Structures are given as C-alpha cells and as structure tokens.
Amino acid sequence: MLKNFIICLTILLLFGFARVPFEASLTEDMREQNILPEKVDQLTREKLGQTGAAVTLGGMRSLVASLLNLRAFVEGEKAEWQKLEDTYELVTTLQPHTIIYWDLGGWQLAYNAAANVSLNAELPEFERERQANLYIEKGDAFLRKGSKLNPDDWKLDRELARLWSNPYKKPDPRRAIKHLDDAIDSPEIIKNDRDILRRAKFRELAKQPLQARAAFDFGRELFEESAHHRTPALCATLFALQNELSLNESEQIPFAVLFSSPVTAWQHLSNYFNSQVPQKLPAAGVVNKIRQLENQLEIPRNQSMINP
Amino acid sequence: MFTNYFFSSARIGIIAKHTFTQLSRMKVFYFLVAFALLIVGASFFEMPGGRIASDSAEQDLRMVKSTAMGAMSLFSVIFAIAATALLLPKDVEDRTLYTILCKPVPRIDYLLGKLLGVLALIFLSIALMDILLTGILYFRTESIISSELANAAAAGFSSEQVAYYESIIRQQGPTWDLQFGVLAIFLKAAVIASIALLVSSFSTSTLFTIAISVLVYFIGHFTADARDYWLYMMGDDFSMMSKWMSQLAVLIFPDFQLYNIIDHSIEGKNIPANVIGRLSLLTVFYCGIYSILAWFCFRKKEF
Amino acid sequence: MAKEYAVEIRNLIKEFPSPFRRKKHRAVDQVSLTIEPGEVYGLIGPNGSGKSTTMKALLGLLAPTEGECFIYGRNSLKVDSRQNIGFLPENPYFYKHLSGEETLDFYGKLCGMRGKMLRNRVAELLELVSLTDAKDRQLGGYSKGMLQRIGLAQAMIQHPKLLVLDEPTAGVDPIGSRQIRDLILQLKQQGITVFLCSHLLEQVQDVCDKVGIIFQGKMIRDGRLDELISMKGQKELIMSGVSDELLERIEKMIADDPQAKLLQAGSPRTTLERLFLSEVEKATD
C-alpha cells in the first residue's frame, strides 16, 4: 500500500517536472496575447463576496461582469453615483480588456453623473459646480485608465477627445488634441474613422488662436488630400484662418476653390457663423464676406441667416 | 476472438459505449432542458438603453454568451466529477464488476472504457448546448445587423464604414474563437474526470472521491500562482517550508488556469491555433498520466 | 504427459490484513482441490468458511498470499485464463438499464464475439434459459429467478469450458431452482465442467459428482459424492407391484441369511419438492 503510494507520487512528481516548463511557456504566451485574464486581487475578491469569488475562480468572470454592468445601470437610474463608480471599478477589474465597460463607465460618470449633480437643487450653486467638475474628472481618469490598459484601442481615446472638446462641458482643446493624436496613431483604426478624427483635430487646432498657423497648414493638407475632407465646416474654417493670418494670395486657397458657388458660400458661411463660431472657432472676415455675398446675391437683410 | 490480452481499443469502445448508455439513461439530459430554458431566457434579455444601439447590442450578445458559457462550464465540471466518481463503486456494489473482470478483460481496458464513456457524454452534452447557443447567437446577431444596416443607410454611411461596423457586431456573435472557448471547457472537464477516476481507483466511497476531486479542482486554480512564485519570485521573504510546499503543489496539482480562456473567447478576440493545439496536447498528457496511475492503483485491487 | 485438470488449486493460502489486530486473518488455509473436465464439483461450507474467497482466487479477483490456481493449465492471475471461464456471482444485479438481450450482447462483445455468430449465440442461450419471451424487458423488471438465469446465460456466452457458480439457487423459488439445476445437468451432459458453491446441501447433492467440505478456511473432506455419502454396508431396494406374499418371502430370505439384517420396510417417501412441482404443474394444466 505504502509502496504503491510512493510509486504514484514519484510518477506524479516526474510528470510535474516534465510539464512545468511547458505550462510556464504556454502561460507566458497566453498572457502576452491577453488571452488569460489577470489575477483577481484580494481586494476585488472581498468586494465580490464569497459566491462571486468562487465564480471568478470557475472562469465565469464574464457573466459576473455582465450582471454587475446591469446593476450599474440600475444604480445610474437611481442616481446612486458613488455605488455606480464602485461597481464599474469591479467590472473593469474583472474584465479589463472589454472596452465597452470602460466606455460606459466613463460616460456615466462624466456625462450623466456630472449633469445630474449640476441640477441638484438641494446644493448651493458653487457646490453643484464643484461636484460636476469632480465627476467630469473622474470620468476622464476612468477612461484614461482604460486607455492605458488597452494601448491598442482607440475608441477610448476618441471618447476622451469628445469629452474635452464638448462645448457644453469644460472644453480644453489641448487635452482633446492629445487624445485625438493617440487615437489617430492607433494601429487598429480604419481610414474612414481616422479621417473623421483628423478633421476633428483640425477643428481643435483652429480653436486655439496661438495655433492658427499650424491649424491652417494641417487644414490645407487635408483639403488637398481628398475631396472627402472638404466639408462645409472645414472650408469655412480655412477661409477664416486665411483672414486671421493675413496670408498673401499665393499662400491662400482661392475663394472659388473653397466654395463652389456664391450661394453655397453664403449658406456655408452663414451656418458656420451661427453654429461653429460660438464654439470658439475663428471668425475673422466672416461677417463681412457674408454681407458682401448678400449684396451680390441681392438677398434682403430680413432674409439674412445671421444676426451678429 | 481477441488475441490481444493487454490492450484492445475495440473492447474499450464496448465498455465506453456501455458506460455512455448507462449514464445517459440516468436522466441527466433533463439538465439540458434547464440549460435550454435558461439561455433562451437570457437571449430575450435586453440591456436598458446604452447611448447608441450598437452598444446595447453588444451588451445583449455578451449576456447571452456569458450565461451560456458559465452554465456549460459549471455543468461539465459537476458532471465530470459526480459521474466518474460513482462509476466504479456502483459496479462493485452491484457486483457487475466481477462479471466483467471474469471475462478476458484487462483492467486497463475497463478503466479507459469507463473514462471514455463519461467523456463522450460530456462532449455530446456540451456540443448540444453549443449548437443551441450558436443558433441563438446567430439569429440575434443577424437581426441586430439588419437593423443597424437600415440605420446606417439612413444616416448615409459609406459602404466601407458599414462593412466595418458590421464586422464589429459579427465579432460579438458566433465565431470560431467562441468555439475554441467551448473546446477549452470540454478539455478542462476531461482533466477533472481523469482525476476523479484516479481517486476512485483507490477510494472506497463515492463521497470521498467527489470531495477529493473538488479539492484538487480548487487547488488547481492556484497552481499557476505557486508556479510564478517558484520560477520568478523566490525571494528570501518565504520560509523554506513554504517554498517546498509550493513547489510540491506545482508538481502534483494540475494547472486549471490555463483553461480559462472563456472570457477571452467571449470578447470575440482571436485565439491562435497554436495555443489551442498546445492546450489539447497538455490535456491528452494529463488524462494519460492520470489514467495510467489509476490503472496502477486498480490493477491489484482485490474484491 | 500429465493429466490436464479443468481446475487445479494447490495449497492455496489467502490472508487478509485485519484492521485492528496485528495478526492477519487467514480466510483460506492450505486448500487444495482438483476438478476433472466434465465434472460438477460442489464446494460446501457454512457462511464465512472461505468458499467465496477460494472461488475469487480462482477467478483472479484476488491474488493468493501463497499457492497457485490453474484453469486448464493456465495461471489464474493471467487474463488469458478467463477465456475459458464463465462466472455467475452471488446475488448479481447486472445493469438494470439493459434488456436481457442487450446484456448478453454486451458480454458477448467483451469476449470478442461479433455479428451473426453473436446473435445466434444470444438467441440460443435465451432459449436455453427460457427467457426468450422476456428478452426485451429491462433487467430492472426481472424476478430473482430470471436474474439468475440471465446470469447463467451471460456466464456461458463465450462457450466456456468451465462454469463457476456462486450460490446459484440462493433465494430462488422451487420452480426456478429446479430449472437451474436441470440446466446444470444439461450442461454437464454437454461436457462442461461446473464448479459451484452453495450452502443448500440438498441441492448440491442433487447435481454434484464431487464435493469438498470447507470449514474455517480448511478443506476438511473432499471426494466423490457417491463414495462420501453412501452408507457403507447397507443396500436399498425400491419395488413396485409387490404382493404381500412376495414381501413375506423376501423377508424370510433375509432372515435366513446369517449376515443380512432387515433394518426398515415401508413406503418410500417422495420429497416435498417433487410434490410441490407436480402440484404446480397440475394446476397450470
């Protein structure tokens, strides 16, 4: 009996020695390719409680994360923002490479939570603003953490760019541009989306007076690159930048090239003035040109689209 | 008549088929009905509004997949342990073991036949569940895509963009990588079943076998951690005793963490064939060694 | 050339470690026996005397501590020795979820039989043990007697030369019991060797050629049944159609002989078993 036991143990040990290097290298490869989940740390295990912990051992993290995500939605509905934040911490610890959870968490915090607390009538004005800013920063931190853990992903960078270019929050073009650059440089982004983001970068550059030259050069590059880039907004912005920089004719893009016809020019410039200029885009010479076109096209003042 | 008295695959096949029938007539398939209901229910589940339709679509699909894979994982482990644990004691108790061993049946054939019978049943059950999952995923994904395409057409997206978004949604639907995840579930169950067989070859009670197998399953999830300590972090913070203990644990207990590729396959991300190949090879070795050890303990057992 | 016995057990000793006492428990102590081909051998003894242990050692279910067992010259510990054996264990259950036919099919395949040969053999055996009508019923629904009979069929599936039966009629009703014993006699006619053990002594007497009495692990008496139980020096006459006058003359002849002595005269009795069976048969008609 004892002899049997010793022989069995010996065989197991020998087999163990043989497989340890094989398993170690396989584990290494799998971790490199992010196939294996990272270890769940003690703190997370405690937060999950006993059943949750047992489940994560059994390889059901995905299920637990899905259910927690659901719980977070309910917490959001009930405006329990602290709980929501904790829940998303858990969810992203369990599934750090699932982009959508980072995305949702960031959105809930920076948009929903911030908006909600800013409307809280129970708090004094300054406190509302402080808390709203706090949640925006929390959302930002959350998204940045997700982006760092998933360096190949660009969608979180795009979300961060959106957050900092959003005119209704706390627009910060420099931060937005940094994130746009990260997204644009990502290896996984497709051409179409990249082009959209490049145009967004152009807009952000244009918002900064000190970057006018850089903005113009970049915008021109886009303009000449492809017809897809020649959106009304882009053309109008280039027009304004040209005026702001007081470029001489050889450097400018001719007006007739920017806008296909006077009517088109009038419409696009009027729209630009109404919607983009309030967002801090350049306005140099825009009003004058609009008036000039109105005269040229004999559009009566009461039919003008702008009201400066 | 057989001329090979040591090992015969035909004989193993007979015992395997017989074990399969025996277990399947134990009404175990009723569990599959419960599974089917669970996953069909999960598929009707819809996440409360995300910001955009494709967000909630992804979350819905994720919910279906994670529920199904979780249930498959749980079922296969429970069944692997419980079914294997009762096979030998049942034969001894019913004295049917004598009638088999008194035929020219080598004990290794008997053990392998039992193990393969259990594995065949687990495989079939998982396959059925997988078919159901794939079917539901397929229909759900297609319906999401067609509504997305309608939206995209209305919004004037380019065909390249549409194709791109379609491919993202498809990635969350039924993919080959998801199947690899299901395969990993089966491989894990195979290892646990062989362990249960080994324990039952020297144990006398079903309950004892189940308890030990569950314990080994549990410990096996920490083997990888112990191995990390051994290979990379053998600082002086640890006492000699704990170093020895962790080394011993690594050598003796299997590493079940390697099979936890479910989460990754649910992501829809790629699982290279190389990884699956190595995992399968490792599983074959595990089952082989545990079966040999089981035979070793069983061969001189007296009844 | 040495005579080949069907079964040869030489000085078999089997000890089991006792969990509480240091001294081991000797279940079988220096047991030797031989069975010639075509004989029916009965091993009898009280419960716990070592009958089953001896049988299991012969079948390779346990290894002897000392001594050897041979079946048609092959060592019992080798798997190939079992090609020639059919075993019916005590109170077997078999696999309840299989039908009679499926059970025989399973065991036949284990022995390497296939296809038409197997099908024919299964049908033949079902007929032999009178279970053709019940062949599609699951074993869970069989009576005790039916289970014993299917067990016997299973034991014979591969045309073994030796049948080993452990308490073949224990717990079986008189009709079933009679059927089993008739079967054994039929098999003997076909030249099959039978090794059975039982504690139903009347029934052993009915079928066996040779017996061995085992008690507390030791073989205390063995030999041919006729020789063992015939009452030496006494003779029995059973007559019919005898008139009183003839009876008187016979009694006188015995009285005239100096050595013979009339011990008993009267009507012989049938056995309770025969009475029972004939009554049942009449009732069935």
Side-chain angles (χ1 to χ4, degrees):
Chain A
M1 185 61 183
L2 187 63
K3 193 176 109 184
N4 269 1
F5 178 72
I6 291 178
I7 295 179
C8 280
L9 195 62
T10 312
I11 295 181
L12 269 178
L13 288 173
L14 287 174
F15 177 56
F17 274 114
R19 66 179 164 85
V20 160
F22 184 82
E23 283 179 347
S25 99
L26 182 58
T27 308
E28 199 51 52
D29 290 347
M30 285 167 89
R31 279 192 187 144
E32 238 173 72
Q33 298 176 44
N34 281 332
I35 299 177
L36 277 186
E38 277 102 16
K39 292 187 268 271
V40 176
D41 60 33
Q42 188 59 31
L43 196 59
T44 314
R45 266 199 273 256
E46 278 168 28
K47 284 190 197 157
L48 283 170
Q50 278 191 335
T51 43
V55 149
T56 59
L57 276 183
M60 297 207 275
R61 291 189 197 197
S62 193
L63 180 60
V64 175
S66 290
L67 294 171
L68 285 175
N69 185 35
L70 185 58
R71 186 170 89 184
F73 263 99
V74 174
E75 285 162 353
E77 299 270 306
K78 293 200 264 184
E80 291 168 344
W81 302 115
Q82 188 52 52
K83 282 191 187 171
L84 179 142
E85 190 181 347
D86 290 338
T87 305
Y88 271 113
E89 285 289 322
L90 259 181
V91 170
T92 51
T93 310
L94 286 174
Q95 302 265 268
H97 300 297
T98 305
I99 304 301
I100 194 168
Y101 292 138
W102 294 105
D103 193 357
L104 286 170
W107 168 64
Q108 291 271 29
L109 289 169
Y111 291 81
N112 296 345
N116 181 264
V117 302
S118 73
L119 296 171
N120 187 352
E122 289 172 24
L123 297 170
E125 177 76 42
F126 61 89
E127 184 60 18
R128 275 184 254 168
E129 197 179 319
R130 188 190 74 87
Q131 284 201 10
N133 286 341
L134 186 62
Y135 274 112
I136 292 175
E137 289 297 335
K138 279 191 185 192
D140 172 74
F142 191 74
L143 286 169
R144 274 187 292 120
K145 185 174 167 194
S147 176
K148 193 159 155 218
L149 283 171
N150 297 283
D152 287 341
D153 179 73
W154 59 272
K155 297 197 190 80
L156 293 176
D157 291 314
R158 180 185 62 182
E159 287 314 308
L160 282 161
R162 276 189 184 154
L163 179 60
W164 294 112
S165 61
N166 189 320
Y168 306 107
K169 290 202 166 293
K170 293 167 46 183
D172 185 338
R174 269 180 313 156
R175 268 169 116 160
I177 287 173
K178 177 188 172 307
H179 294 303
L180 282 168
D181 279 333
D182 286 339
I184 288 167
D185 292 335
S186 163
E188 291 200 356
I189 190 170
I190 61 164
K191 184 176 178 315
N192 225 334
D193 289 324
R194 180 183 288 122
D195 286 343
I196 294 173
L197 293 180
R198 287 166 80 205
R199 291 199 287 276
K201 178 177 173 181
F202 168 64
R203 278 169 47 95
E204 295 304 307
L205 281 170
K207 285 182 192 173
Q208 300 172 70
L210 294 173
Q211 299 283 351
R213 182 76 219 192
F216 178 75
D217 289 336
F218 188 54
R220 186 182 192 129
E221 189 188 318
L222 291 175
F223 187 85
E224 285 166 2
E225 191 180 287
S226 145
H228 281 304
H229 285 303
R230 296 177 194 175
T231 60
L234 186 125
C235 297
T237 314
L238 278 172
F239 174 74
L241 280 171
Q242 280 176 170
N243 294 339
E244 191 158 323
L245 291 166
S246 308
L247 296 176
N248 53 32
E249 274 199 42
S250 58
E251 283 189 281
Q252 285 185 20
I253 305 173
F255 192 79
V257 177
L258 278 176
F259 301 105
S260 55
S261 74
V263 177
T264 318
W266 172 66
Q267 285 169 337
H268 289 175
L269 284 172
S270 304
N271 287 334
Y272 176 77
F273 182 78
N274 287 335
S275 63
Q276 307 295 345
V277 169
Q279 294 180 33
K280 308 259 187 331
L281 279 146
V286 173
V287 178
N288 286 345
K289 192 67 191 181
I290 293 174
R291 294 291 181 233
Q292 197 186 20
L293 288 165
E294 282 172 351
N295 287 339
Q296 190 185 335
L297 297 167
E298 289 169 8
I299 296 169
R301 191 48 74 92
N302 59 7
Q303 283 180 19
S304 170
M305 283 163 66
I306 63 170
N307 194 3
Chain B
M1 300 286 180
F2 293 124
T3 49
N4 182 350
Y5 287 112
F6 183 63
F7 185 90
S8 152
S9 53
R11 206 160 24 217
I12 294 174
I14 295 163
I15 297 181
K17 175 165 174 280
H18 172 266
T19 309
F20 179 90
T21 329
Q22 180 184 20
L23 290 173
S24 66
R25 286 184 194 179
M26 284 185 193
K27 302 186 168 51
V28 72
F29 283 124
Y30 287 170
F31 177 86
L32 289 179
V33 174
F35 173 84
L37 291 173
L38 179 70
I39 167 174
V40 168
S43 75
F44 282 115
F45 176 82
E46 280 181 7
M47 280 302 283
R51 296 158 309 160
I52 45 178
S54 61
D55 268 3
S56 44
E58 183 185 332
Q59 290 171 77
D60 292 346
L61 290 175
R62 193 177 284 279
M63 182 58 97
V64 173
K65 282 187 289 185
S66 50
T67 312
M69 306 277 273
M72 272 193 240
S73 190
L74 199 61
F75 165 74
S76 59
V77 168
I78 291 177
F79 192 76
I81 295 180
T84 315
L86 67 80
L87 286 176
L88 262 57
K90 197 167 183 353
D91 269 1
V92 170
E93 211 180 284
D94 291 350
R95 275 176 280 261
T96 42
L97 181 66
Y98 304 156
T99 52
I100 294 181
L101 292 184
C102 289
K103 298 284 183 247
V105 176
R107 294 192 181 193
I108 182 85
D109 286 12
Y110 174 73
L111 286 178
L112 287 178
K114 290 285 178 193
L115 182 65
L116 287 176
V118 172
L119 293 185
L121 190 65
I122 295 177
F123 185 82
L124 184 68
S125 310
I126 290 182
L128 288 174
M129 291 193 266
D130 187 25
I131 288 173
L132 185 63
L133 170 65
T134 307
I136 287 184
L137 267 185
Y138 176 76
F139 284 117
R140 201 72 209 276
T141 312
E142 291 302 314
S143 86
I144 287 172
I145 286 177
S146 53
S147 69
E148 284 297 299
L149 288 184
N151 292 344
F157 283 171
S158 74
S159 60
E160 191 197 348
Q161 253 176 325
V162 163
Y164 175 70
Y165 292 126
E166 185 179 331
S167 77
I168 290 197
I169 296 177
R170 280 206 194 283
Q171 206 185 15
Q172 293 298 323
T175 62
W176 280 113
D177 300 298
L178 195 67
Q179 303 306 319
F180 283 149
V182 174
L183 179 63
I185 292 176
F186 171 70
L187 293 176
K188 191 177 187 184
V191 176
I192 295 168
S194 344
I195 290 174
L197 186 73
L198 170 57
V199 179
S200 77
S201 70
F202 58 80
S203 134
T204 45
S205 112
T206 308
L207 225 53
F208 178 78
T209 307
I210 292 178
I212 297 290
S213 305
V214 167
L215 191 64
V216 171
Y217 178 69
F218 184 77
I219 294 176
H221 281 83
F222 298 105
T223 319
D225 298 338
R227 188 177 61 229
D228 284 342
Y229 283 135
W230 180 12
L231 293 178
Y232 305 121
M233 303 183 214
M234 281 306 231
D236 293 321
D237 319 2
F238 300 97
S239 67
M240 272 304 276
M241 187 61 177
S242 65
K243 281 187 197 177
W244 277 91
M245 291 300 287
S246 65
Q247 277 184 353
L248 205 62
V250 170
L251 291 174
I252 294 179
F253 292 99
D255 179 4
F256 283 120
Q257 277 199 31
L258 285 168
Y259 295 94
N260 278 347
I261 65 174
I262 296 177
D263 296 327
H264 187 82
S265 69
I266 287 181
E267 291 294 312
K269 294 196 186 124
N270 177 249
I271 298 178
N274 171 274
V275 163
I276 280 287
R278 279 150 85 187
L279 209 57
S280 306
L281 189 65
L282 187 65
T283 308
V284 168
F285 274 117
Y286 269 126
C287 293
I289 290 284
Y290 290 135
S291 300
I292 290 176
L293 286 175
W295 168 71
F296 185 78
C297 295
F298 189 67
R299 79 198 196 294
K300 289 265 181 357
K301 201 166 180 192
E302 301 190 335
F303 300 102
Chain C
M1 192 168 104
K3 187 176 181 185
E4 191 183 66
Y5 289 113
V7 171
E8 191 182 353
I9 299 178
R10 287 192 213 146
N11 300 318
L12 177 67
I13 298 180
K14 180 64 191 170
E15 285 177 341
F16 290 109
S18 179
F20 298 113
R21 285 171 264 158
R22 294 209 62 201
K23 186 160 173 261
K24 289 190 186 162
H25 164 62
R26 210 172 246 220
V28 176
D29 194 357
Q30 296 273 2
V31 164
S32 296
L33 63 87
T34 56
I35 307 177
E36 287 178 30
E39 268 188 343
V40 179
Y41 187 100
L43 187 61
I44 55 180
N47 295 333
S49 53
K51 304 194 296 294
S52 290
T53 311
T54 308
M55 225 168 228
K56 286 179 183 174
L58 185 66
L59 293 162
L61 289 172
L62 24 101
T65 311
E66 273 178 54
E68 294 165 304
C69 309
F70 296 93
I71 298 143
Y72 287 99
R74 295 183 188 166
N75 193 307
S76 65
L77 293 174
K78 299 249 165 37
V79 177
D80 63 349
S81 67
R82 308 208 193 109
Q83 191 62 38
N84 285 320
I85 309 183
F87 176 50
L88 174 61
E90 186 182 355
N91 287 325
Y93 283 109
F94 298 112
Y95 291 110
K96 291 200 193 74
H97 66 282
L98 294 177
S99 73
E101 192 175 21
E102 283 170 345
T103 306
L104 293 181
D105 190 70
F106 171 66
Y107 285 107
K109 286 199 175 126
L110 278 184
C111 293
M113 296 168 78
R114 285 277 180 282
K116 200 143 187 277
M117 180 173 72
L118 176 59
R119 277 201 299 275
N120 290 341
R121 181 67 179 154
V122 167
E124 183 190 330
L125 284 171
L126 285 169
E127 187 63 44
L128 182 69
V129 300
S130 317
L131 283 174
T132 313
D133 297 333
K135 70 178 166 69
D136 291 321
R137 221 193 299 169
Q138 286 196 354
L139 291 196
Y142 274 25
S143 71
K144 185 86 177 48
M146 290 164 85
L147 277 177
Q148 292 288 131
R149 298 206 314 266
I150 200 80
L152 203 54
Q154 158 280 124
M156 296 193 292
I157 189 86
Q158 87 277 31
H159 294 101
K161 292 194 280 192
L162 170 68
L163 267 184
V164 178
L165 310 172
D166 194 350
E167 305 281 356
T169 54
V172 181
D173 69 22
I175 301 173
S177 179
R178 182 76 254 167
Q179 280 175 322
I180 290 172
R181 273 178 283 151
D182 288 342
L183 263 170
I184 294 174
L185 289 169
Q186 205 178 334
L187 293 169
K188 180 184 162 183
Q189 297 257 340
Q190 294 171 12
I192 295 176
T193 314
V194 177
F195 176 21
L196 62 86
C197 77
S198 177
H199 56 260
L200 298 170
L201 303 175
E202 290 284 333
Q203 304 197 0
V204 168
Q205 189 172 329
D206 207 13
V207 295
C208 293
D209 301 321
K210 246 172 125 175
V211 293
I213 304 176
I214 187 168
F215 181 68
Q216 288 183 353
K218 289 192 171 58
M219 184 74 87
I220 51 181
R221 196 81 190 275
D222 82 328
R224 298 205 62 80
L225 185 65
D226 295 336
E227 290 164 15
L228 287 177
I229 63 171
S230 62
M231 312 251 286
K232 303 229 178 335
Q234 292 184 6
K235 291 281 181 277
E236 194 179 31
L237 276 170
I238 299 181
M239 307 172 290
S240 73
V242 173
S243 63
D244 287 337
E245 198 203 305
L246 181 55
L247 196 57
E248 251 184 68
R249 272 194 281 148
I250 293 171
E251 282 177 9
K252 190 170 182 297
M253 269 166 57
I254 294 171
D256 286 344
D257 190 296
Q259 286 178 333
K261 193 168 131 196
L262 179 63
L263 294 173
Q264 191 185 339
S267 301
R269 302 203 300 178
T270 180
T271 65
L272 186 56
E273 186 194 30
R274 277 191 220 125
L275 173 67
F276 176 84
L277 288 173
S278 71
E279 290 303 316
V280 166
E281 208 180 307
K282 271 193 253 167
T284 328
D285 295 336

